[in-house]
Amino acid sequence: MGRWGRQSPVLEPEPPPPASPPPLPPRHNAFMRQSSFTKIGNMLNTAMNGTKKPQSNGEASWCFSQIKGALDDDVTDADIISCVEFNHDGELLATGDKGGRVVIFQRDPASKTANPRRGEYNVYSTFQSHEPEFDYLKSLEIEEKINKIRWLRRKNPAHFLLSTNDKTVKLWKVSERDKSFEGYNTKEENGLTKDPQNITALRVPSVKQIPLMVEASPRRIFANAHTYHINSISVNSDQETYLSADDLRINLWHLEVTDQSFNIVDIKPTNMEELTEVITAAEFHPTECNVFVYSSSKGTIRLCDMRSSALCDRHSKQFEEPENPTNRSFFSEIISSISDVKLSNSGRYMISRDYLSIKVWDLHMETKPIETYPVHEYLRAKLCSLYENDCIFDKFECCWNGKDTSIMTGSYNNFFRVFDRNTKKDVTLEASRDIIKPKTVLKPRKVCTGGKRKKDEISVDCLDFNKKILHTAWHPQENIIAVAATNNLFIFQDKF
């Protein structure tokens, strides 16, 4: 079998006839035609065998581009990355950490014009988004950890983003300044106000060029609306409103109004002892401003339409897959909890991530997912030990590529998985410091579950569960991915 399937046999020239008697003319013509066909056949075979089959996202066609963050083994808790997000054109990449800091990276202009294009980013701005607080009424400390970052679409030279910790959402403006004004009439050069009696002449202020400064300033602070920890924020397609979700409620905000929000989902029972599920993630539809979805710890996803009623306790659709009785165990409810849900860029599909798998849903079909991809099925036999070390409660995120043809999510041992929906191929890759050399091609990794281990495989018993890829992001237009591994941000791109 060849690269393109079964190859046709190549016609070989017949041996020349003996010198006596001399060859007849028809025989000679047949020989010439056969030689011509043979030559063409060889050319076609050479062309086909020499042409590389285009690789898809799910195949091992990724290479290392950059790593951000300190390479020391001594990692402080505040430096651990807690969220990653590209903006809408992929020019900026933001990360938040457990220390409440937001770091924004900007695409290197030279990397876009290089041939081939490179996915390289430089630090653009760093600022402290949240500080630790203390709730004196409940005697609880509020962590500064950044749970989510969401970009607003750009409308002017400045950039805007939302960041949230457990209780407070903030709207940040990130702008550039490369000019300053001098020669004020009412101010001294040091900023002090002049005595009006000492002003004897009017001056025209002048503009002075200064080194580029990137400033981040909080424009709005949305606080005191959530009793429980915020797990999701999502900007509406109208770019005027956004939602914030905690364990039991979802609130709708207007970006210009900080002292008022509307409660659109409330699943809190009258008696908390009757509580059976919590909200785990929520997101607006990318084009329909009245539609949003939210997932629960019971493994269900509910789609709500705000046109039907102000309080969306009654969902329009519910997506749920019946449980396979053969896989029923003590851990079934825990591993069926959905940790993340993302609608596709087209708005037709959505993906949901539970502990062991990632599923693709068609919004027109509620009964079952149209695709299911096992992420680390080999861990099903180790659920007991994962329960004991609390890893079974880890919340893995997932993301789409720009064309909705591939999806990505994380795993343990700094592994992450890429699934190609067209070819149904998948690959396991590793975000490792051993490959931090530009253009190094990532080798696919395989996990051995038992029996004889091959050379390039790693035993499931050797996986490091302290190293985990929880947060990933995919460039909206190119094959550039960002993967957060503890305190390091890895940037990979498709093969050069």
Side-chain angles (χ1 to χ4, degrees):
M1 294 290 286
R3 181 185 295 271
W4 299 88
R6 188 178 299 278
Q7 293 181 346
S8 300
V10 179
L11 298 175
E12 296 293 341
E14 292 184 4
S20 179
L24 296 173
R27 180 72 175 174
H28 177 71
N29 291 341
F31 172 75
M32 290 300 293
R33 286 196 300 270
Q34 197 171 21
S35 299
S36 301
F37 288 137
T38 302
K39 186 175 181 182
I40 294 172
N42 285 332
M43 289 170 63
L44 288 172
N45 284 333
T46 302
M48 287 191 293
N49 290 332
T51 304
K52 289 185 177 180
K53 187 178 179 181
Q55 290 179 315
S56 52
N57 297 326
E59 298 182 47
S61 58
W62 297 92
C63 64
F64 172 81
S65 179
Q66 285 178 301
I67 183 172
K68 305 293 183 181
L71 299 179
D72 303 333
D73 291 328
D74 187 16
V75 179
T76 61
D77 196 54
D79 293 332
I80 296 176
I81 298 173
S82 54
C83 57
V84 184
E85 188 78 8
F86 279 102
N87 73 338
H88 292 87
D89 59 7
E91 288 300 299
L92 298 179
L93 171 63
T95 65
D97 62 27
K98 288 189 174 183
R101 295 180 298 265
V102 172
V103 181
I104 301 176
F105 300 93
Q106 184 183 44
R107 181 84 177 268
D108 186 348
S111 72
K112 292 190 294 183
T113 56
N115 189 18
R117 289 164 67 97
R118 301 192 309 271
E120 296 179 0
Y121 286 77
N122 301 319
V123 175
Y124 181 64
S125 177
T126 303
F127 59 92
Q128 188 73 31
S129 174
H130 287 72
E131 301 280 357
E133 300 175 47
F134 192 80
D135 187 336
Y136 292 96
L137 291 176
K138 295 184 178 181
S139 296
L140 291 174
E141 185 177 345
I142 302 172
E143 288 185 326
E144 65 270 34
K145 171 193 167 190
I146 307 297
N147 292 337
K148 284 288 186 289
I149 291 174
R150 290 291 180 265
W151 291 92
L152 277 68
R153 290 191 178 273
R154 196 174 185 184
K155 297 180 179 178
N156 55 47
H159 298 274
F160 290 86
L161 63 85
L162 289 169
S163 64
T164 184
N165 66 348
D166 286 341
K167 298 290 183 181
T168 305
V169 183
K170 294 184 180 182
L171 173 66
W172 290 90
K173 177 183 179 182
V174 182
S175 56
E176 297 180 355
R177 187 159 65 92
D178 60 355
K179 296 178 178 66
S180 67
F181 296 92
E182 292 183 346
Y184 288 101
N185 290 289
T186 58
K187 289 183 180 179
E188 300 284 357
E189 296 299 329
N190 58 9
L192 297 177
T193 305
K194 288 183 179 179
D195 185 351
Q197 295 180 352
N198 296 333
I199 300 175
T200 57
L202 291 177
R203 300 170 60 188
V204 178
S206 59
V207 179
K208 180 184 177 182
Q209 198 77 20
I210 61 172
L212 179 66
M213 295 175 57
V214 181
E215 300 175 326
S217 55
R219 308 299 289 178
R220 303 280 187 274
I221 298 178
F222 308 89
N224 305 320
H226 284 278
T227 307
Y228 307 98
H229 291 177
I230 299 173
N231 55 47
S232 301
I233 51 175
S234 178
V235 181
N236 201 343
S237 58
D238 61 15
Q239 296 294 300
E240 293 182 356
T241 57
Y242 77 93
L243 64 78
S244 58
D246 65 23
D247 294 335
L248 297 178
R249 297 187 179 98
I250 300 177
N251 292 335
L252 178 68
W253 301 81
H254 194 284
L255 286 164
E256 299 294 329
V257 182
T258 60
D259 59 352
Q260 180 177 289
S261 66
F262 297 95
N263 180 226
I264 53 176
V265 172
D266 188 348
I267 65 169
K268 181 182 178 181
T270 307
N271 182 3
M272 284 296 283
E273 292 182 358
E274 299 173 358
L275 182 67
T276 58
E277 63 178 335
V278 295
I279 298 168
T280 56
E283 187 178 54
F284 265 121
H285 192 279
T287 56
E288 303 293 334
C289 63
N290 50 282
V291 175
F292 68 95
V293 297
Y294 70 93
S295 57
S296 84
S297 57
K298 269 192 169 181
T300 61
I301 306 169
R302 297 180 178 93
L303 184 144
C304 301
D305 190 335
M306 292 189 290
R307 294 174 299 183
S308 59
S309 63
L311 189 62
C312 299
D313 284 349
R314 291 187 177 181
H315 50 268
S316 301
K317 291 186 176 184
Q318 178 165 304
F319 302 84
E320 185 176 14
E321 184 178 25
E323 184 186 0
N324 185 351
T326 58
N327 290 333
R328 179 72 186 173
S329 71
F330 171 79
F331 307 105
S332 295
E333 290 188 9
I334 301 175
I335 63 174
S336 65
S337 175
I338 295 174
S339 57
D340 194 20
V341 60
K342 293 278 172 58
L343 285 151
S344 65
N345 298 287
S346 66
R348 173 67 187 269
Y349 306 100
M350 64 180 172
I351 49 176
S352 64
R353 172 67 204 268
D354 56 43
Y355 189 67
L356 293 178
S357 65
I358 187 167
K359 298 173 182 176
V360 181
W361 301 82
D362 188 331
L363 293 190
H364 296 174
M365 188 170 74
E366 306 165 54
T367 53
K368 63 178 181 178
I370 57 173
E371 299 161 25
T372 300
Y373 301 98
V375 177
H376 39 219
E377 185 64 26
Y378 47 80
L379 294 182
R380 188 177 291 275
K382 292 192 165 294
L383 292 178
C384 187
S385 58
L386 292 167
Y387 178 79
E388 292 173 355
N389 61 18
D390 285 344
C391 285
I392 200 170
F393 301 106
D394 286 333
K395 299 184 182 301
F396 293 94
E397 296 177 4
C398 53
C399 62
W400 293 90
N401 71 338
K403 297 179 180 179
D404 299 338
T405 57
S406 294
I407 51 181
M408 176 173 59
T409 190
S411 182
Y412 294 104
N413 207 69
N414 277 359
F415 289 170
F416 61 98
R417 306 267 280 138
V418 182
F419 303 91
D420 191 305
R421 298 183 58 216
N422 292 334
T423 64
K424 304 303 179 187
K425 292 184 178 180
D426 62 85
V427 65
T428 301
L429 303 171
E430 183 181 6
S432 170
R433 296 177 184 176
D434 298 335
I435 50 94
I436 54 175
K437 183 180 178 183
K439 301 185 181 181
T440 302
V441 177
L442 273 64
K443 295 181 179 179
R445 301 302 306 268
K446 292 185 178 180
V447 178
C448 173
T449 55
K452 191 174 181 181
R453 183 172 62 88
K454 296 181 181 178
K455 180 181 178 182
D456 295 331
E457 292 182 340
I458 181 172
S459 171
V460 67
D461 297 320
C462 298
L463 296 176
D464 188 344
F465 293 101
N466 293 318
K467 295 180 179 179
K468 57 192 80 172
I469 304 293
L470 300 177
H471 315 287
T472 58
W474 202 312
H475 190 289
Q477 298 166 4
E478 300 180 41
N479 275 342
I480 300 172
I481 55 178
V483 175
T486 317
N487 66 318
N488 293 127
L489 179 70
F490 288 83
I491 299 176
F492 303 105
Q493 68 175 84
D494 53 356
K495 195 187 299 181
F496 285 88

